[in-house]
Amino acid sequence: MSDEVFRVETHGIDTIPDEERHGSAKDLFWLWFGSNLTFTYVINGALAVAFGLSFWQATAVVVLSGLSFFAVSAAGLSGIRTGTATLVISRAAFGVRGNFPAGVLNWVVSIGYTIVNTVVGTLALELVLAQTGLADGTPARALALAITLALTFAVTMWGHATVQFAERWAAYVLAAGFGVLLVLVLPGADTSAPAAAPGLSGWSLAFVIMLAGPFSYLPMPADYTRYLPRTTSLKSITWTGALGGFVSSVALGIAGVAAATQTDMTDAVAGAQGLLPGWFQPLFLALVLGGSVTNSIITLYSSSLNLQVLGIPWSRARALGISAAVTAAGSLAALFLTDFTTSLLSFLSLLIIVFAPWGGVFLADMLLRRCRYDADALHAGSAGAYWYRAGYHPAGMAALLAGMAFAALTCDSALWTGPLVAPLGGADLTVLGSVVSGLTYWALARRRVPAYAPAA
């Protein structure tokens, strides 16, 4: 068995043989539950209130957005059939060459979010070190960064089995801690309606913020299902993974909503900390650190597979070194040289213009094929059935561009405002780019896709 806890995983994007497959669908619950016990959702819930929504309105947005994890979890079904990573499988929808740009952008997004998580975790640990008198100032920050990076990289380096093991045990601890946070914050929530209605702009921005996180996972679910036996129930995979992400994201999102109705959450960590009793504040900072690490682990792991998809001729563990080096450099720059975290977040949020339509095409292709792929052809390059025309699938590329055009025209972000935002009353309809691209792909490919999809 090449996939064991605390043993370096030898497989990368190559097909996992049937004799090496193991585990069950319940493993996915703990993976998505643990990795989404991150303070990011508290921040997102607070932003929904900042956009003018009441407690109950913002809570409705949090709950409805959490249902998107059913799409994320369903995207992992293709991993069972093919035994390989999501960004290898998406060659069937876009072509081998057409898949390359999304692979590059996904790697950028993975590293970007890992840097953001590392910075948040480092700052939380720095406060713990200062409050306990262990270290202060620059030495405290440097030590906190080293610990945060070490925790993230060590688990990721070992690979798939260790990632699942770490996420499960971290989930037990983080769930207990964040449960206490909910008990302390929820009773003081102001559930009265705001003086003025939020309007379409407030509603749409709240949905975009809450959906950006789940959408960013779409290029990676099969990375964590590819080891499961082929006999695993597809229904159980969808439900267990979806419930894991739903429960944790919704619980923390509601905590953020409740906190924002009581205090200024411009600095979310400081704002939430101010609502807590003194005895719990160090534990709260430890939760922020733990959530940042668990989220970074799955993101960084997928980034190493991503580099193999892009053609890096190294093993997964060696390819991880590139992602690790870039993450460390970016975190150092954010913490010691210049504060570019806000700009980085703005840039990452803008990339939903690409990943919402990409997800729409990928899911539509998977549904049309009913998860039936030629696993060998996915790795065959120009000799395989997924080369299409010069490496590009015309239907997939056309659908992607249609969805991106719609998303760009209706996007309202710090870096770009689409020309249709004002006529729409300030509404941001970026996430609907996935619907546009999915329907376009269905219209263009529904009569032709089965010819390119022999059963595995």
Side-chain angles (χ1 to χ4, degrees):
M1 180 70 69
S2 64
D3 185 43
E4 297 179 3
V5 177
F6 303 130
R7 177 179 175 183
V8 176
E9 177 191 5
T10 58
H11 286 296
I13 61 172
D14 53 306
T15 302
I16 308 300
D18 286 347
E19 62 271 17
E20 294 190 33
R21 297 196 183 196
H22 60 93
S24 64
K26 67 181 180 181
D27 296 331
L28 298 176
F29 174 86
W30 294 111
L31 177 83
W32 291 109
F33 179 71
S35 62
N36 284 283
L37 285 170
T38 172
F39 194 71
T40 302
Y41 290 108
V42 177
I43 298 173
N44 293 345
L47 285 172
V49 175
F51 293 141
L53 275 64
S54 69
F55 174 85
W56 293 113
Q57 290 169 335
T59 296
V61 170
V62 169
V63 173
L64 291 174
S65 299
L67 294 174
S68 63
F69 276 100
F70 279 89
V72 173
S73 190
L77 298 180
S78 53
I80 296 288
R81 294 286 177 82
T82 62
T84 191
T86 307
L87 281 169
V88 175
I89 301 165
S90 60
R91 290 169 176 168
F94 300 100
V96 176
R97 288 177 173 168
N99 192 54
F100 191 86
V104 173
L105 286 175
N106 183 64
W107 184 78
V108 171
V109 169
S110 298
I111 297 304
Y113 277 120
T114 305
I115 291 172
V116 172
N117 278 326
T118 300
V119 169
V120 171
T122 298
L123 294 176
L125 182 54
E126 179 188 359
L127 285 173
V128 173
L129 294 173
Q131 291 175 2
T132 56
L134 295 176
D136 201 1
T138 300
R141 179 166 294 189
L143 178 59
L145 175 60
I147 293 173
T148 304
L149 291 174
L151 290 172
T152 303
F153 295 153
V155 173
T156 311
M157 179 64 72
W158 272 313
H160 176 267
T162 310
V163 166
Q164 288 196 320
F165 175 84
E167 293 290 353
R168 175 188 287 258
W169 285 98
Y172 297 153
V173 177
L174 292 175
F178 279 119
V180 175
L181 175 69
L182 278 168
V183 171
L184 294 173
V185 171
L186 275 180
D190 180 4
T191 58
S192 60
L200 186 58
S201 174
W203 281 100
S204 64
L205 287 171
F207 271 110
V208 168
I209 288 294
M210 290 303 304
L211 288 169
F215 270 80
S216 71
Y217 290 132
L218 282 173
M220 63 177 72
D223 302 1
Y224 304 101
T225 60
R226 71 194 203 282
Y227 274 98
L228 293 177
R230 292 182 188 272
T231 55
T232 308
S233 164
L234 300 187
K235 182 177 180 181
S236 65
I237 290 172
T238 303
W239 275 92
T240 52
L243 287 176
F246 177 84
V247 171
S248 51
S249 66
V250 168
L252 296 188
I254 292 174
V257 171
T261 64
Q262 303 172 63
T263 188
D264 180 11
M265 290 286 283
T266 304
D267 182 340
V269 174
Q273 190 177 12
L275 297 174
L276 304 172
W279 64 267
F280 188 70
Q281 291 183 10
L283 295 175
F284 165 70
L285 295 173
L287 291 175
V288 175
L289 168 64
S292 298
V293 170
T294 58
N295 193 258
S296 291
I297 285 171
I298 68 162
T299 307
L300 198 61
Y301 175 81
S302 287
S303 78
S304 63
L305 298 177
N306 198 157
L307 287 174
Q308 289 189 312
V309 174
L310 295 177
I312 299 295
W314 292 351
S315 67
R316 180 204 61 83
R318 288 185 64 194
L320 178 65
I322 298 176
S323 297
V326 176
T327 298
S331 301
L332 281 167
L335 290 164
F336 293 100
L337 300 180
T338 179
D339 181 14
F340 70 89
T341 306
T342 300
S343 299
L344 179 61
L345 279 171
S346 298
F347 170 69
L348 293 173
S349 65
L350 188 63
L351 288 182
I352 195 173
I353 290 176
V354 177
F355 283 106
W358 185 94
V361 175
F362 178 77
L363 291 172
D365 180 75
M366 190 181 74
L367 288 172
L368 284 174
R369 298 178 192 277
R370 298 187 180 182
C371 289
R372 295 189 180 96
Y373 299 88
D374 183 340
D376 292 332
L378 290 171
H379 300 274
S382 59
Y386 302 122
W387 187 250
Y388 301 111
R389 297 181 184 176
Y392 298 90
H393 187 196
M397 301 308 294
L400 177 63
L401 291 174
M404 288 175 59
F406 178 87
L409 290 171
T410 59
C411 175
D412 183 15
S413 72
L415 299 180
W416 167 259
T417 300
L420 295 184
V421 172
L424 290 170
D428 185 332
L429 304 181
T430 313
V431 294
L432 294 183
S434 60
V435 178
V436 171
S437 64
L439 291 176
T440 302
Y441 186 78
W442 178 83
L444 295 175
R446 62 193 176 94
R447 297 185 184 277
R448 304 185 64 180
V449 156
Y452 300 127

